[in-house]
Amino acid sequence: MNTEDKDQENKYLENNSSCENENLFEEIEEGFENEASGNTDNLADQLETEKKKSQEFKDSYLRLMAEFDNYRKRTLREKSEMLKSAGENIITALFPIVDDFERALEVMQTSDDIDANRKGTELIYEKFLSFLSSQGVKAIDASPGSEFNTEFDEAVTTIPASTEDLKGKVVDCVQKGYTLNDKVIRFAKVVVGE
């Protein structure tokens, strides 16, 4: 083969391959266009479903926040109502003791029997202590000679101890202390020996 033939053959191959390449490029472009239009439809559908989900979450969140706000308001209202009526049971339980005191005062005005008046007053006092005990109130033991305990006792003053064994101990109880369900609600005021 001479060089002219080779040149013609090369030109022929180039022309045919460029035609094939153009056809191939056209097919690929059509495929991409079809795929792209299908993808945009898919993407648009996905975007729409995600928007719907987002709106559902937003609505759910808003409903949940409204529910929580209602719950908070309701519990605050219930709490304030409970605080208003919290002492109601205790007050109504005290009425019989008040009635006993009123009867005792009436009897004291007409009776000269001091022993009967004293016994009646002691009975009312015992009834009142029984009521306090039923509510969980207990008296703190701060009797003379007991150990001074800073968890339950408050030292009003100190005085020189008459004996060595009274040092650091309660000499006198000025005011009784009380606990409510094992929590100190009033410290016992005591005089301590030093």
Side-chain angles (χ1 to χ4, degrees), residues 3-187:
T3 55
E4 247 181 52
D5 288 339
K6 281 187 180 179
D7 285 338
Q8 280 182 348
E9 189 179 316
N10 283 340
K11 282 185 182 180
Y12 175 77
L13 287 175
E14 284 177 10
N15 286 338
N16 283 342
S17 67
S18 69
C19 284
E20 287 176 11
N21 285 343
E22 283 179 19
N23 289 339
L24 185 61
F25 282 132
E26 286 175 6
E27 287 177 18
I28 291 173
E29 281 180 357
E30 284 177 18
F32 277 136
E33 286 175 4
N34 290 340
E35 194 175 308
S37 68
N39 278 350
T40 55
D41 290 343
N42 262 352
L43 289 175
D45 290 344
Q46 285 179 345
L47 180 63
E48 194 61 36
T49 56
E50 292 301 321
K51 280 183 180 178
K52 285 180 184 176
K53 282 183 184 177
S54 174
Q55 188 62 37
E56 288 174 6
F57 285 137
K58 184 179 177 184
D59 291 344
S60 174
Y61 172 75
L62 289 175
R63 274 188 256 109
L64 186 63
M65 287 303 294
E67 267 184 50
F68 178 74
D69 192 43
N70 290 338
Y71 166 77
R72 185 182 55 82
K73 288 177 184 176
R74 184 176 60 247
T75 54
L76 284 174
R77 191 176 338 109
E78 288 172 355
K79 208 182 248 187
S80 70
E81 288 173 7
M82 255 187 0
L83 287 174
K84 286 179 185 176
S85 64
E88 183 179 342
N89 292 338
I90 294 174
I91 303 255
T92 55
L94 284 173
F95 287 149
I97 297 172
V98 172
D99 294 339
D100 288 346
F101 271 121
E102 288 173 350
R103 283 191 288 274
L105 289 172
E106 286 177 15
V107 169
M108 284 182 191
Q109 289 176 357
T110 59
S111 173
D112 291 334
D113 189 3
I114 295 175
D115 285 337
N117 290 338
R118 184 178 51 76
K119 285 180 185 177
T121 305
E122 286 175 357
L123 286 173
I124 296 171
Y125 176 71
E126 292 298 323
K127 188 174 185 178
F128 186 68
L129 288 180
S130 168
F131 165 75
L132 288 177
S133 177
S134 71
Q135 298 299 316
V137 177
K138 294 178 186 170
I140 295 173
D141 180 30
S143 57
S146 63
E147 272 305 311
F148 175 69
N149 186 346
T150 56
E151 291 183 26
F152 299 106
D153 303 329
E154 178 183 337
V156 176
T157 187
T158 58
I159 61 169
S162 58
T163 61
E164 281 297 313
D165 60 325
L166 285 179
K167 284 188 178 181
K169 293 190 177 183
V170 175
V171 176
D172 188 23
C173 180
V174 179
Q175 187 179 57
K176 274 188 178 180
Y178 294 95
T179 61
L180 175 62
N181 299 323
D182 298 325
K183 179 187 174 215
V184 176
I185 56 174
R186 184 170 92 176
F187 288 94

